[in-house]
Amino acid sequence: MNESLSVTPALRRTPFHFRHQQNGARLVPFAGWEMPVQFESVMAEHRAVRERAGIFDISHMGQLWVTGPGAQESLQKLLTNDIGGLPAQRGLYALLCNEEGMVVDDLYVYCLDPQRYLLIVNASRVSVDEEWIRPRLGLDTKMTEQPQPAALAVQGPAASEVMAKISKEACGLKKNGVAEIPLMDMEVVVARTGYTGEDGFELFGPAGHLFPVYEFLMKEGKPLGLVNCGLGARDTLRLEMGYRLYGHELDDTHSPLEAGLGWAVKLEKPFFVGRGALVKEKEGGSRRRLMGFQLQERGVPREKCEICFAGDPVGYVTSGTFSPTLGAGIGMGYVDIGLLPPTAETNPEWTIRIHGRAVPADRAALPFYRKSVLPITN
């Protein structure tokens, strides 16, 4: 094919796109979408979420409904976590694995009732997930994608105060609680969840339901410090919490056990896709492991930087950034356990190679950020 005739697929836009333009967002391609990476600045938006409240457009995330009498049984056989133990109006984190125990996607599953589940999946994996899930559902179960989907996340210590402007019922939700709540006379799925480490809410539904909600929240929330936030702040906030991200820490070449997500893998279940391979890995030990680190000197680690021990490369960075809260470079990455000497657990000889410079680093426990422990630095 003549390359000059090739056509780059158009980027999808969320229902809030024109508002992002009006609000001065810097828009970038992300997972097939044109998304805001920042409005004022990543630092200002990060600070707003840690200290007050921020609102994120997360409409690019996939919304898949799995419904029918066999919905619970089907999901129990597909997802690593215990869906059978998930009561109505609660949500939990889970992974979708292939037969080799490698990660197809990570997701949040919300149980509205035992015959209706909402899966929130990564934007880049929606079609892959649908192709993986659909043929594995029972005959009495069906999967549909939310038509004209839209989603918002209101996050921060003032998130509840902001949401109280539109729904007292929403503020009554406990952590990981979910309910269909009328907002401005339109039904919206509201969950007490988030991806920032702060208190917060995630709202899912059709664009026609959520756009007036966004307009209302921005008007009423502004006096409380609510600001628009982009993908840049979302990434620094999630990294401070050590949250794994598909395409970085997670993909179909890594298992959830390597990624330190064994708490979301219930091997005691009699069956789920990938269980056999994960049982073998659990018994024999993982070949790699994910570690967190914090730089001892100035520098910003980035994806693919080498992780070294005693000067020798033993792994690579999967996510790295400058932490506004800690005032230091932080990151996560995989190390090959077979390349580590016995002294690795006790002898601090870690460095991260950034642009050819070996920057000393400390191994760090995840999450990096714990509430009310550290001030945000300039």
Side-chain angles (χ1 to χ4, degrees):
M1 181 178 178
N2 186 334
E3 292 187 359
S4 63
L5 298 178
S6 65
V7 177
T8 301
L11 295 173
R12 299 177 68 184
R13 292 175 171 176
T14 78
F16 309 103
H17 181 267
F18 78 97
R19 276 286 183 260
H20 297 331
Q21 289 181 311
Q22 290 176 337
N23 290 323
R26 185 160 76 84
L27 298 159
V28 299
F30 180 80
W33 293 77
E34 189 176 13
M35 296 295 295
V37 66
Q38 67 178 65
F39 292 83
E40 181 182 350
S41 72
V42 172
M43 178 67 84
E45 292 157 29
H46 184 109
R47 183 190 297 274
V49 174
R50 288 282 182 251
E51 298 179 349
R52 301 181 303 279
I55 189 166
F56 299 81
D57 176 6
I58 55 170
S59 303
H60 59 304
M61 304 291 288
Q63 300 181 38
L64 304 176
W65 284 95
V66 177
T67 58
Q72 184 186 87
E73 183 179 356
S74 291
L75 291 175
Q76 187 74 319
K77 292 177 179 176
L78 279 167
L79 301 177
T80 59
N81 213 330
D82 183 12
I83 307 305
L86 180 62
Q89 300 199 318
R90 298 287 296 170
L92 59 73
Y93 178 81
L95 298 116
L96 195 64
C97 288
N98 58 26
E99 283 83 356
E100 290 73 43
M102 301 295 151
V103 178
V104 174
D105 200 2
D106 69 326
L107 56 86
Y108 229 84
V109 54
Y110 297 107
C111 176
L112 279 305
D113 65 56
Q115 295 191 22
R116 289 194 310 142
Y117 293 83
L118 175 61
L119 310 183
I120 305 301
V121 307
N122 284 291
S124 64
R125 306 297 286 174
V126 177
S127 59
V128 174
D129 292 354
E130 284 189 277
E131 290 177 11
W132 184 257
I133 294 171
R134 198 177 297 282
R136 292 172 172 81
L137 294 176
L139 294 176
D140 53 359
T141 308
K142 67 176 183 178
M143 183 173 64
T144 54
E145 191 171 354
Q146 173 73 55
Q148 298 181 312
L152 297 168
V154 181
Q155 302 283 298
S160 183
E161 198 175 354
V162 172
M163 284 298 295
K165 298 285 185 182
I166 197 168
S167 171
K168 294 285 193 301
E169 183 181 353
C171 297
L173 291 171
K174 304 295 184 187
K175 183 177 172 60
N176 289 328
V178 63
E180 289 165 292
I181 296 175
L183 302 180
M184 304 183 76
D185 298 325
M186 290 173 288
E187 200 163 80
V188 172
V189 175
V190 181
R192 196 74 180 258
T193 50
Y195 199 51
T196 64
E198 300 295 339
D199 184 20
F201 301 81
E202 293 181 306
L203 287 56
F204 307 101
H209 292 198
L210 280 175
F211 189 78
V213 169
Y214 168 79
E215 298 282 66
F216 180 88
L217 290 177
M218 285 308 300
K219 178 183 176 184
E220 298 296 322
K222 191 172 182 180
L224 300 172
L226 182 71
V227 301
N228 278 298
C229 297
L231 293 174
R234 189 169 165 83
D235 199 51
T236 55
L237 290 159
R238 74 95 187 167
L239 228 169
E240 285 185 349
M241 289 303 298
Y243 291 154
R244 287 66 161 170
L245 179 63
Y246 198 92
H248 292 260
E249 289 73 39
L250 301 174
D251 57 32
D252 59 8
T253 67
H254 292 91
S255 78
L257 301 183
E258 292 175 339
L261 296 174
W263 57 270
V265 179
K266 304 305 182 188
L267 295 176
E268 61 271 24
K269 288 201 306 185
F271 175 81
F272 62 85
V273 179
R275 180 183 179 278
L278 291 169
V279 167
K280 287 182 180 177
E281 182 182 341
K282 180 77 172 179
E283 292 172 349
S286 301
R287 186 168 65 85
R288 298 167 293 206
R289 72 165 177 241
L290 189 73
M291 64 170 274
F293 63 85
Q294 179 173 332
L295 299 184
Q296 295 176 9
E297 299 177 359
R298 193 174 182 82
V300 181
R302 294 299 186 195
E303 185 181 3
K304 298 181 181 177
C305 285
E306 285 182 338
I307 299 174
C308 300
F309 188 85
D312 296 323
V314 293
Y316 60 94
V317 175
T318 50
S319 294
T321 191
F322 175 81
S323 163
T325 305
L326 297 164
I330 60 171
M332 296 185 285
Y334 281 103
V335 295
D336 188 324
I337 295 172
L339 297 177
L340 294 177
T343 58
E345 295 296 330
T346 56
N347 197 359
E349 296 184 67
W350 297 99
T351 54
I352 308 299
R353 193 173 299 280
I354 303 173
H355 301 306
R357 182 171 71 98
V359 181
D362 293 320
R363 188 176 172 186
L366 301 176
F368 298 98
Y369 165 78
R370 296 179 190 278
K371 286 182 183 178
S372 305
V373 173
L374 295 166
I376 292 179
T377 59
N378 291 313

